């Protein structure tokens, strides 16, 4: 029973809270006393970093990831580690979202018996939705913040690639991996982003009452996109229909090709007990029922794959050019789509995305309205998202988990 979203509680959390209680008013930082959960692929001293995998489940890093150090400098409390789809959802195609060998299956608090938490930042979203933490940090390679945030009726932000340091974060594909906040409101997400961002000059400033009036929004055609179009029109925006179904920039090839070398580099630098994906696969094979119960086909595939760095850079440049051309051709202020339908292109482009609660669908499942900007337009994008949030107020509150004990 339960949500099964939290892998480990920080043993130092209460001591940290008591120390902060003693702080003088003038010493209080912007995240003073706010508990933050970390996805279990982000290094934090005193807690294991496993990415949900059995082999490193007792590995404890020597240092905090820079993003965690930034949060601590802003006087946040690291509450603990959140479960994730193991290895950022790159173990086997048969493995369900929100499952890890370390903790098992995370459940969606809206309907723990059947509704997927999606992933890979499943625990980061489920914990916030169920009020186990006010905010959390997740990571995204392709949809891993946006999808779980949307299905939990939360705000999820994937910043422009590189704005929050991924050093000390167990990688999937370093060219795409991005750290970002999951929260109950755009303002809370912005506060966590501003605390974690590497360069204070890249913090976002939110307006009191931003407006969508006259904003041209490129709307991706897809399931229920007409509902999003109607909502945008009601708020004064000008939707422009777009079709990205043929737009593809090597997303899967980048992930499969980069995973082995990026994993090995992290394992070497941070002292993981397994040094390569081949070693990990061999370790898992000794007890598949406990260590890889759904198979490990994606690990085995990635262990033998590679992609030239020049080819990766060509894909990234092509995706960025495509977004710029679309924006210029249609004179757009931003793009939008339903849930995570269009995540692949902006993820390869390194572009910022933010999803905002958009009520429920015909199956009573929470859904999100997701907005995308060009790289380095995070502030403008967050204000667009805030305008949509203020004008729609469609966040849902889960109750299913209260009956599922």
């Amino acid at each position: 029973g339960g949500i099964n979203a939290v892998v480990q509680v920080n043993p130092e959390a209460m001591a940290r809270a008591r120390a902060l209680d003693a702080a003088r008013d003038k010493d209080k930082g912007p995240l003073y006393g706010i508990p933050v959960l970390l996805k279990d692929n982000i290094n934090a001293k005193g807690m294991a970093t496993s990415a949900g995998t059995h082999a490193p489940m007792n590995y404890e890093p020597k240092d905090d990831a820079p993003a965690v150090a930034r949060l601590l400098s802003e006087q946040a409390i690291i509450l603990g580690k959140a479960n994730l789809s193991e290895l950022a959802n790159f173990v086997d195609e048969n493995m369900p979202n929100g499952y890890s060998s370390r903790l098992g299956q995370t459940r969606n608090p809206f309907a723990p018996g059947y509704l997927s938490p999606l992933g890979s930042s499943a625990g980061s979203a489920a914990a916030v939705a169920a009020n186990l933490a006010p905010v959390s940090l997740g990571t995204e390679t392709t949809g891993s913040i946006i999808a779980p945030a949307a299905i939990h009726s939360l705000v999820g932000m994937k910043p422009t690639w590189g704005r929050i340091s991924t050093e000390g974060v167990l990688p999937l594909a370093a060219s795409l991996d991005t750290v970002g906040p999951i929260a109950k409101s755009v303002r809370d997400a912005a506060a966590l982003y501003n605390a974690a961002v590497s360069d204070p000059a890249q913090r976002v400033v939110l307006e009191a009452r931003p407006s969508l009036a006259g904003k041209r929004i490129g709307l991706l055609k897809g399931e229920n996109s007409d509902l999003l179009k109607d909502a945008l029109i009601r708020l004064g925006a000008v939707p422009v229909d777009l079709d990205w179904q043929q737009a593809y920039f090597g997303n899967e090839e980048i992930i499969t090709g980069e995973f082995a070398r990026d994993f090995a580099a992290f394992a070497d630098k941070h002292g993981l007990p397994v040094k390569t994906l081949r070693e990990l696969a061999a370790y898992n094979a000794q007890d598949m029922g406990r260590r890889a119960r759904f198979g490990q086909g994606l690990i085995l595939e990635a262990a033998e794959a590679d992609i030239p760095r020049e080819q990766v850079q060509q894909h990234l440049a092509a995706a960025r050019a495509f977004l710029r051309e679309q924006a210029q051709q249609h004179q757009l202020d931003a793009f939008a789509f339903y849930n995570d339908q269009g995540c692949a292109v902006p993820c390869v482009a390194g572009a910022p995305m933010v999803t905002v609660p958009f009520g429920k669908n015909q199956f009573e499942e929470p859904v999100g309205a997701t907005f995308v900007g060009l790289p380095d337009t995070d502030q403008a994008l967050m204000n667009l998202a805030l305008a949509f949030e203020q004008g729609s107020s469609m966040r849902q509150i889960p109750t299913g988990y209260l009956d599922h004990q």
Side-chain angles (χ1 to χ4, degrees), residues 250-313:
N251 187 284
E252 293 180 11
E253 290 84 352
I254 294 171
I255 294 172
T256 305
E258 287 197 335
F259 188 21
R261 68 177 179 230
D262 292 342
F263 179 92
F266 179 94
D268 179 62
K269 183 170 184 176
H270 296 281
L272 284 188
V274 287
K275 302 302 183 187
T276 66
L277 289 186
R278 286 176 181 165
E279 278 187 32
L280 176 60
Y283 173 86
N284 288 344
Q286 294 169 14
D287 185 359
M288 290 290 286
R290 178 68 188 87
R291 300 172 184 176
R293 62 178 293 198
F294 297 100
Q296 55 177 349
L298 294 174
I299 294 176
L300 292 168
E301 181 184 359
E304 305 304 325
D306 193 15
I307 185 170
R309 297 182 192 278
E310 305 75 38
Q311 188 177 336
V312 172
Q313 292 304 314

Side-chain angles (χ1 to χ4, degrees), residues 192-356:
L192 188 56
Y193 163 82
N194 283 344
V197 71
S198 300
D199 181 358
Q202 294 182 332
R203 290 174 174 161
V204 298
V205 177
L206 296 182
E207 302 165 22
R209 298 291 301 178
S211 174
L212 281 170
K215 300 292 186 184
R216 293 175 60 83
I217 309 293
L219 181 63
L220 269 60
K221 292 179 183 176
E223 181 186 9
N224 292 329
S225 60
D226 54 332
L227 300 177
L228 184 50
K229 176 186 277 191
D230 291 344
L232 290 169
I233 291 171
R234 281 196 301 273
L235 293 174
V238 182
V240 179
D241 288 337
L242 299 177
D243 187 348
W244 281 4
Q245 291 184 46
Q246 303 304 314
Y248 180 72
F249 298 97
N251 187 284
E252 293 180 11
E253 290 84 352
I254 294 171
I255 294 172
T256 305
E258 287 197 335
F259 188 21
R261 68 177 179 230
D262 292 342
F263 179 92
F266 179 94
D268 179 62
K269 183 170 184 176
H270 296 281
L272 284 188
V274 287
K275 302 302 183 187
T276 66
L277 289 186
R278 286 176 181 165
E279 278 187 32
L280 176 60
Y283 173 86
N284 288 344
Q286 294 169 14
D287 185 359
M288 290 290 286
R290 178 68 188 87
R291 300 172 184 176
R293 62 178 293 198
F294 297 100
Q296 55 177 349
L298 294 174
I299 294 176
L300 292 168
E301 181 184 359
E304 305 304 325
D306 193 15
I307 185 170
R309 297 182 192 278
E310 305 75 38
Q311 188 177 336
V312 172
Q313 292 304 314
Q314 289 168 6
H315 284 310
L316 304 184
R320 287 193 295 267
F322 174 80
L323 280 187
R324 281 197 305 269
E325 289 162 6
Q326 291 270 292
Q328 291 168 359
Q329 180 183 346
H330 302 285
Q331 297 179 301
L332 301 176
D333 295 286
F335 305 89
F337 48 81
Y338 188 78
N339 282 339
D340 61 339
Q341 290 176 353
C343 282
V345 172
C347 281
V348 179
M353 295 190 284
V354 57
T355 193
V356 179

Side-chain angles (χ1 to χ4, degrees), residues 9-340:
V9 174
N10 182 4
E12 299 299 320
M14 289 302 295
R16 167 83 170 169
R18 292 188 186 99
L20 288 173
D21 279 345
R24 296 168 297 179
D25 281 351
K26 69 183 182 67
D27 297 328
K28 292 180 180 179
L31 277 197
Y32 173 80
I34 301 298
V36 182
L37 267 179
L38 306 175
K39 188 174 178 177
D40 183 27
N41 57 353
I42 301 173
N43 281 352
K45 284 188 293 189
M47 288 180 285
T49 300
S50 72
T53 303
H54 191 275
M57 61 192 297
N58 296 315
Y59 155 77
E60 287 192 10
K62 295 184 179 69
D63 300 301
D64 291 318
V68 175
R70 292 279 314 129
L71 296 182
L72 292 171
S73 73
E74 303 287 323
Q75 296 187 307
I77 298 170
I78 303 305
L79 185 59
K81 291 293 195 78
N83 198 29
L84 71 160
S85 308
E86 186 172 335
L87 288 177
N89 217 7
F90 214 75
V91 176
D92 194 278
E93 290 179 354
N94 292 317
M95 189 185 78
N97 277 300
Y99 176 85
S100 77
S101 299
R102 182 177 181 189
L103 188 68
Q105 182 64 51
T106 291
R107 300 175 186 88
N108 188 317
F110 281 90
Y114 75 91
L115 185 60
S116 172
L118 298 183
S120 61
S121 303
S124 298
V128 173
N131 295 314
L132 304 180
V135 290
S136 66
L137 274 187
T139 65
E140 170 135 0
T141 310
T142 306
S144 285
I145 289 172
I146 299 300
I151 198 69
H152 288 91
S153 203
L154 297 170
V155 174
M157 179 198 184
K158 185 202 88 72
T160 293
W161 182 86
R163 284 204 164 195
I164 298 178
S165 172
T166 53
E167 169 61 32
V169 179
L170 202 152
L172 177 54
S175 296
L176 309 182
D177 291 344
T178 309
V179 175
I182 295 176
K184 294 174 185 171
S185 69
V186 173
R187 290 197 183 280
D188 284 358
L192 188 56
Y193 163 82
N194 283 344
V197 71
S198 300
D199 181 358
Q202 294 182 332
R203 290 174 174 161
V204 298
V205 177
L206 296 182
E207 302 165 22
R209 298 291 301 178
S211 174
L212 281 170
K215 300 292 186 184
R216 293 175 60 83
I217 309 293
L219 181 63
L220 269 60
K221 292 179 183 176
E223 181 186 9
N224 292 329
S225 60
D226 54 332
L227 300 177
L228 184 50
K229 176 186 277 191
D230 291 344
L232 290 169
I233 291 171
R234 281 196 301 273
L235 293 174
V238 182
V240 179
D241 288 337
L242 299 177
D243 187 348
W244 281 4
Q245 291 184 46
Q246 303 304 314
Y248 180 72
F249 298 97
N251 187 284
E252 293 180 11
E253 290 84 352
I254 294 171
I255 294 172
T256 305
E258 287 197 335
F259 188 21
R261 68 177 179 230
D262 292 342
F263 179 92
F266 179 94
D268 179 62
K269 183 170 184 176
H270 296 281
L272 284 188
V274 287
K275 302 302 183 187
T276 66
L277 289 186
R278 286 176 181 165
E279 278 187 32
L280 176 60
Y283 173 86
N284 288 344
Q286 294 169 14
D287 185 359
M288 290 290 286
R290 178 68 188 87
R291 300 172 184 176
R293 62 178 293 198
F294 297 100
Q296 55 177 349
L298 294 174
I299 294 176
L300 292 168
E301 181 184 359
E304 305 304 325
D306 193 15
I307 185 170
R309 297 182 192 278
E310 305 75 38
Q311 188 177 336
V312 172
Q313 292 304 314
Q314 289 168 6
H315 284 310
L316 304 184
R320 287 193 295 267
F322 174 80
L323 280 187
R324 281 197 305 269
E325 289 162 6
Q326 291 270 292
Q328 291 168 359
Q329 180 183 346
H330 302 285
Q331 297 179 301
L332 301 176
D333 295 286
F335 305 89
F337 48 81
Y338 188 78
N339 282 339
D340 61 339

